[in-house]
Amino acid sequence: FELDATTIFCQNLPPITVTTYNPSGNFSYEWTDENDIVISNSPDAIISEEGTYTVIATSTDGCESFPHTIIIEPSIIASISQDDFTVVDDSSNNSITISTGNLGIGDYEFAINDSYGIYQDEPYFENLTPGIYTVFIQDKNNCGIAQIDVSIIGFPKFFTPNNDGINDTWKVLGVNENFYSTSLIYIFDRFGKLITKIDLKK
């Protein structure tokens, strides 16, 4: 019979089933874990943690196979917080950098604004326009996709409210009830004189 050499166990998901295949006869089986504890007497075994597992097949004539082993390697969905981001905004090259040190033991790739979009290995996005972005972090071992919103703040440097339809209004981008929910806005004239201060509370 055959057995895969390795497979992945996602620590955030239910137990997995590993199985033997292509048997050359009608066998009985015995699965043991690293502590030689029997965990199954079937062609397959339910695995709930990483480790090395061994299976031996016995023929109807009582002949035992050589032991086959499978290594169960762990992975996990990413764990992410706002502290894991470095954001450069209100600049000529707005960017988001994800710190990968606290994500977990998985093998991760990254996308923004589309969980089905193009993922990249580099935890860095640049040349971003101001706004709220959703960052998706996908475990390559199929343990899941984590997501979190990140703010890139930005605003026009001037406005001319003269009703000519050009630059009549002014708005801060990248803010909502979760990001910069309170703001102080200072408006100056072209000579640098303070005209007014607006205290915004969302």
Side-chain angles (χ1 to χ4, degrees), residues 21 24 26 28 57 75 78 84 111 125-126 149 160 164 176 180 185:
Y21 55 94
S24 61
N26 185 20
S28 60
S75 194
D84 297 313
F125 299 93
E126 63 178 346
D149 289 340
T160 55
D164 65 354
N176 61 18
Y180 307 101
I185 298 174

Side-chain angles (χ1 to χ4, degrees), residues 174-186:
V175 299
N176 61 18
E177 65 276 6
N178 298 316
F179 297 98
Y180 307 101
S181 58
T182 61
S183 304
L184 283 175
I185 298 174
Y186 297 88

Side-chain angles (χ1 to χ4, degrees), residues 20-143:
T20 59
Y21 55 94
N22 293 335
S24 61
N26 185 20
F27 305 136
S28 60
Y29 297 86
E30 182 179 86
W31 289 82
T32 55
D33 61 16
E34 293 177 336
N35 299 315
D36 291 327
I37 297 174
V38 177
I39 62 169
S40 176
N41 293 113
S42 302
D44 51 38
I46 297 175
I47 306 296
S48 58
E49 62 181 348
E50 62 269 19
T52 301
Y53 295 83
T54 303
V55 58
I56 295 175
T58 302
S59 72
T60 54
D61 296 323
C63 297
E64 286 190 353
S65 69
F66 289 108
H68 288 50
T69 59
I70 183 171
I71 299 174
I72 308 298
E73 299 176 342
S75 194
I76 196 169
I77 191 172
S79 175
I80 190 72
S81 73
Q82 294 293 333
D83 293 335
D84 297 313
F85 290 92
T86 300
V87 174
V88 176
D89 54 11
D90 191 28
S91 73
S92 60
N93 182 14
N94 298 326
S95 65
I96 297 173
T97 303
I98 303 106
S99 174
T100 59
N102 297 321
L103 297 182
I105 60 174
D107 186 10
Y108 303 111
E109 56 188 359
F110 309 88
I112 56 173
N113 284 353
D114 186 357
S115 62
Y116 299 101
I118 299 175
Y119 282 82
Q120 63 183 45
D121 290 332
E122 297 77 17
Y124 175 73
F125 299 93
E126 63 178 346
N127 296 317
L128 302 175
T129 58
I132 305 295
Y133 289 84
T134 301
V135 176
F136 296 94
I137 304 174
Q138 177 170 254
D139 176 49
K140 294 182 180 180
N141 296 308
N142 297 317
C143 290

